[in-house]
């Protein structure tokens, strides 16, 4: 279940918005120029599929987005406990790279989730918007938007990444400790799992 939770930037004591309705999520993010879409899920693509298989499966959607946005590089990133060598160290390093608030000066951050889940936290207009993305979700964070990303302490996801610049992911960190003040991926994921099982 995709989920958007919005809090004041002062902290998570008050929930401004909480919705799992895709249309409401897209409408809430549109004023921030954040692109949110849901693509048809290819159930015949395994979670641990190689990059070529993933790109072939979503070729029509990728081509459409490339035509609209002019991306020059598209690749696949995958991190799963079952297949990653040196799993604990690799997972910790991968998570820590994205966990502090940052911006991108030269490119948007656009991801489509083929499998698994992750949360983008968008810090804008005096609020923090946590967007829990899972299989089938595409999120595009415009360059210059302060944000962070959490994949949890046990990351498991496959995502297609889109870049306008060949250099790929380059973050400019703000030095703010804001990300430590809000519920992390594990907390939100556990709450969603409990809701699904209730």
């Amino acid at each position: 279940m995709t989920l958007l939770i919005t809090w004041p930037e002062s902290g998570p004591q008050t929930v401004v918005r909480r919705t799992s309705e895709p249309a409401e999520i897209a409408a809430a993010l549109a004023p921030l120029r954040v692109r949110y879409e849901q693509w048809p899920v290819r159930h015949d693509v395994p979670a641990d599929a190689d990059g070529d298989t993933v790109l072939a499966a979503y070729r029509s959607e990728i081509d459409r987005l490339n035509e609209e946005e002019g991306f020059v590089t598209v690749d696949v990133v995958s991190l799963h406990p079952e297949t990653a060598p040196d799993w604990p160290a690799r997972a910790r390093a991968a998570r820590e790279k994205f966990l502090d608030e940052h911006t991108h000066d030269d490119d948007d951050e656009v991801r489509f989730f083929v499998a698994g889940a992750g949360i983008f936290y968008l810090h804008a207009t005096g609020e923090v918007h946590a967007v829990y993305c899972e299989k089938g979700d595409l999120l595009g964070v415009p360059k210059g938007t302060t944000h962070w990303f959490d994949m949890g302490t046990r990351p498991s996801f496959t995502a297609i990444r889109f870049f306008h610049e060949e250099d790929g992911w380059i973050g400019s960190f703000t030095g703010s400790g804001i990300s430590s003040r809000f519920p992390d991926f594990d907390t939100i994921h556990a709450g969603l799992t409990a809701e699904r099982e209730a």
Side-chain angles (χ1 to χ4, degrees), residues 44-124:
D44 56 337
V45 179
D48 60 350
D50 63 66
D52 289 341
T53 301
V54 170
L55 294 175
Y58 288 94
R59 178 52 54 198
S60 63
E61 290 87 357
I62 292 169
D63 289 347
R64 174 187 59 83
L65 193 59
N66 282 344
E67 185 174 331
E68 291 176 11
E69 297 288 341
F71 294 112
V72 299
T73 302
V74 179
D75 67 12
V76 176
V77 61
S78 186
L79 193 60
H80 296 280
E82 308 82 32
T83 59
D86 304 323
W87 170 250
R90 185 173 177 205
R92 185 170 47 256
R95 184 182 190 218
E96 289 174 358
K97 179 178 180 180
F98 307 110
L99 200 52
D100 290 328
E101 184 183 64
H102 60 276
T103 64
H104 303 290
D105 298 331
D106 299 319
D107 208 347
D108 302 341
E109 184 165 352
V110 181
R111 304 290 182 266
F112 171 70
F113 285 81
V114 175
I119 301 177
F120 281 92
Y121 296 80
L122 314 169
H123 182 196

Side-chain angles (χ1 to χ4, degrees), residues 35-39 65 110-112 136-140 162:
R35 182 180 196 131
Y36 172 73
E37 298 177 2
Q38 287 189 321
W39 290 1
L65 193 59
V110 181
R111 304 290 182 266
F112 171 70
D137 290 329
L138 178 131
L139 195 76
F162 298 82

